[in-house]
Amino acid sequence: MTTFRHTMEDEKDGMELKQIGAITIDTKKTKIQNCVKTNLLTILTVSGVVCGGLVGYLLRQFREEKWTEREVMYVNFLGDLFLRMLKSLILPLIVSSLISAIAKLDISLSGKIAVRAIIYYFTTTVCAVIIGIILVITIKPGKMSSDDSHNQQNEGSGSRNVTTVDTLLDLVRNLFPPNLVQACTQQIRTVLIPSTNEKDINSWKIDYEYTDGTNILGLVMFSAVMGVTLAKLGEKGQYLIYFFETMSEAMMIITKWVICISPIGVMFLVASKVLEIDNPEELVGRLGMYFITVLGGIILHGFIIIPLIYLIMTRKNPIKYVGNMAQALATAFGTSSSSATLPISIKCLEENNNIDSRVARFVLPIGATINMDGTALYEAVAAIFIAQIRNIDLSLGHLVAISITATAASIGAAGIPQAGLVTMVMVLDTVGLPAEEVTLIIAVDWLLDRFRTVINVMGDAFGAGIVDHLSREELQISSNL
Ligand code: ASP
């Protein structure tokens, strides 16, 4: 009897346990389903990058002869449409969100936020440069590469003759555009015209030209001043503030729509780029060690140093923070452009990481233009790598000069594909190397550009997180007013 009762009780216990087990599995299942549901788009966008690489690789294997430019254009068509949509958002989004964000802050708080952001930008960029220099000096990738640059000299680097001072002065000039409409499409730059008998670049004739590309710095400056002024106007300024607020909300909604097609867009952008590559063997061959050095530095800086700074400053989980930015990071990889990624970065920061919109919309457009840790690291490594190939011995003074110019070159680089390659000229100049030397690294630059853009975007995002954390109380007080 007792045995029978025991068996019954055991069975009951067993069933209860099974039920609890089933409920736990169910809860786990629902949790996973919910997680997949909420992050579906992000998962798809990251998969878009991987699929793009695979599709590009398979298409390359599919036939022997090279894919023609027209065929690549067809493959890239949807990616190009995605990029055009993103780019169309930048201008209205930056202007409206910056004006409305600053108008909602009082002047002293705007100043504090700007100072905190700039201190963060400067510190992390210098860290990135130092990491790059330590790695390239220890690994010495240039000593392992043979110098066969002669057959590459005619590839054309798009570089030009300028001095570091000119590049920095152009940056300041662009802050104050004389014509706002023109600033939406063009920016100024210095051109040095060689005189026949003068070798010294400082004696050349100075001219200026307007080049295509939105002058984001100029628009950021104007919007910041406009925001401060509207805040000062008080009651009278309200109408315009409402206007820009509504516009910025509308732009965020359009951004969400564009984001819906990001998996497809990113996939085709990556696939067409893989189809286009001329020398894939360079990645493992001559430039392999250089590639690994830059990539190693970028990973060390982006995945260890900046998250550590974030952890120390905010005591929050950096891994979760990066995970919440995945959509923006995948887009940065696909587009190679921090500026084009800006709308998605703002959305991820506000909606996934709960960053105050006044901080995100203020700090991010500035960061996307001047804070480029990945680019700074790459510029330093590339210049020293080229010097190693050319057997130029670098003194400590040279290294200090490289650190300063690499920082300046990253600030001067626009948030567009391969902008860093153009500002490299400044860094090469400090070691006495001509601009044409960038041809040595062109073969792998398209891929490194993608990785450094990811770190540039990530650096901006962590910066916004830190500034938001440091300004939380003041922001709260300001909203309660
Ligand atoms: N493509 C990079 C960016 O947009 C700039 C560069 O390093 O060339 O952030």
Side-chain angles (χ1 to χ4, degrees):
M1 192 65 190
T2 347
T3 337
F4 179 68
R5 212 171 49 219
H6 266 162
T7 329
M8 289 280 286
E9 272 170 11
D10 281 354
E11 242 174 53
K12 213 173 127 197
D13 281 353
M15 273 176 56
E16 269 171 13
L17 271 179
K18 262 190 202 162
Q19 268 175 356
I20 294 173
I23 292 172
T24 326
I25 292 174
D26 264 1
T27 337
K28 262 193 190 159
K29 236 181 167 179
T30 343
K31 260 191 186 167
I32 294 173
Q33 274 173 352
N34 281 346
C35 177
V36 171
K37 234 188 214 169
T38 38
N39 296 310
L40 185 65
L41 211 54
T42 309
I43 297 169
L44 285 177
T45 314
V46 177
S47 319
V49 173
V50 180
C51 286
L54 271 177
V55 169
Y57 175 76
L58 290 177
L59 286 178
R60 269 185 97 98
Q61 303 302 315
F62 185 63
R63 67 174 208 212
E64 293 248 309
E65 66 269 27
K66 206 176 170 300
W67 286 74
T68 63
E69 215 180 305
R70 174 164 286 276
E71 286 162 340
V72 175
M73 181 267 286
Y74 289 142
V75 176
N76 188 36
F77 186 66
L78 287 180
D80 187 39
L81 289 188
F82 169 63
L83 200 60
R84 294 169 82 92
M85 288 180 209
L86 274 184
K87 284 185 182 167
S88 74
L89 298 176
I90 301 172
L91 189 70
L93 182 69
I94 289 184
V95 174
S96 62
S97 43
L98 207 64
I99 294 180
S100 58
I102 295 184
K104 279 189 264 172
L105 296 168
D106 63 76
I107 299 173
S108 72
L109 185 50
S110 309
K112 275 185 198 163
I113 291 180
V115 169
R116 280 170 193 153
I118 286 168
I119 292 176
Y120 166 86
Y121 294 157
F122 188 73
T123 321
T124 50
T125 307
V126 172
C127 266
V129 171
I130 294 174
I131 291 175
I133 293 184
I134 293 176
L135 283 183
V136 70
I137 286 180
T138 334
I139 301 176
K140 294 196 177 62
K143 301 282 178 206
M144 300 176 203
S145 313
S146 55
D147 173 13
D148 55 355
S149 59
H150 297 296
N151 49 16
Q152 304 203 12
Q153 291 291 337
N154 48 10
E155 272 184 39
S157 61
S159 50
R160 63 207 170 92
N161 287 317
V162 268
T163 64
T164 307
V165 179
D166 289 329
T167 314
L168 290 180
L169 290 182
D170 282 346
L171 207 70
V172 182
R173 273 185 203 105
N174 276 317
L175 272 176
F176 304 98
N179 182 335
L180 281 178
V181 178
Q182 185 189 33
C184 296
T185 57
Q186 287 187 323
Q187 37 185 299
I188 198 167
R189 78 173 183 197
T190 307
V191 201
L192 297 178
I193 304 161
S195 36
T196 35
N197 46 6
E198 274 297 349
K199 278 226 155 66
D200 179 13
I201 200 169
N202 290 315
S203 317
W204 290 4
K205 203 172 157 331
I206 300 174
D207 204 356
Y208 303 97
E209 66 178 9
Y210 278 96
T211 55
D212 284 342
T214 310
N215 176 4
I216 295 188
L217 270 188
L219 294 173
V220 162
M221 181 65 161
F222 172 78
S223 309
V225 175
M226 186 71 175
V228 170
T229 318
L230 287 182
K232 253 188 149 344
L233 267 180
E235 194 58 21
K236 270 196 218 157
Q238 279 309 316
Y239 296 106
L240 264 188
I241 296 178
Y242 285 146
F243 169 81
F244 285 116
E245 255 174 33
T246 317
M247 173 115 159
S248 132
E249 290 312 319
M251 294 318 298
M252 284 316 288
I253 293 175
I254 304 177
T255 303
K256 274 189 201 165
W257 293 339
V258 175
I259 287 177
C260 291
I261 56 162
S262 58
I264 296 177
V266 165
M267 188 183 106
F268 284 108
L269 281 172
V270 175
S272 62
K273 195 65 218 180
V274 173
L275 273 188
E276 232 177 46
I277 314 168
D278 271 335
N279 309 314
E281 59 283 352
E282 297 269 24
L283 277 178
V284 281
R286 206 175 56 90
L287 293 171
M289 275 323 276
Y290 158 71
F291 184 83
I292 290 173
T293 311
V294 178
L295 195 61
I298 279 178
I299 291 174
L300 181 65
H301 181 74
F303 289 92
I304 296 178
I305 305 292
I306 336 182
L308 215 59
I309 297 179
Y310 175 80
L311 178 71
I312 294 169
M313 299 295 289
T314 65
R315 312 251 160 226
K316 289 180 196 156
N317 183 354
I319 300 173
K320 200 168 157 216
Y321 195 84
V322 174
N324 287 339
M325 292 302 297
Q327 179 103 44
L329 301 181
T331 311
F333 189 87
T335 59
S336 282
S337 165
S338 326
S339 301
T341 314
L342 194 59
I344 304 188
S345 309
I346 293 182
K347 188 198 149 271
C348 289
L349 272 185
E350 291 180 9
E351 291 184 9
N352 306 349
N353 278 328
N354 299 322
I355 300 298
D356 192 301
S357 65
R358 289 168 293 179
V359 174
R361 295 174 192 204
F362 182 5
V363 169
L364 228 52
I366 305 176
T369 346
I370 63 168
N371 180 45
M372 297 192 182
D373 296 354
T375 307
L377 186 146
Y378 139 86
E379 304 244 6
V381 174
I384 298 176
F385 168 73
I386 294 172
Q388 285 173 349
I389 290 189
R390 292 283 179 252
N391 277 323
I392 297 176
D393 284 327
L394 299 175
S395 62
L396 187 66
H398 274 129
L399 295 183
V400 174
I402 288 176
S403 323
I404 297 170
T405 41
T407 307
S410 72
I411 296 174
I416 55 172
Q418 299 195 312
L421 200 63
V422 181
T423 54
M424 255 305 276
V425 185
M426 288 166 56
V427 194
L428 287 178
D429 194 41
T430 49
V431 241
L433 286 165
E436 293 75 43
E437 296 285 351
V438 292
T439 48
L440 280 172
I441 50 165
I442 274 184
V444 294
D445 199 68
W446 66 274
L447 189 54
L448 280 180
D449 185 26
R450 283 161 199 264
F451 287 110
R452 58 184 195 250
T453 309
V454 170
I455 299 302
N456 291 346
V457 170
M458 203 150 105
D460 296 339
F462 273 124
I466 292 175
V467 173
D468 180 75
H469 180 81
L470 297 178
S471 319
R472 262 288 131 129
E473 276 173 27
E474 291 143 311
L475 287 165
Q476 206 112 45
I477 297 169
S478 155
S479 355
N480 293 341
L481 286 179

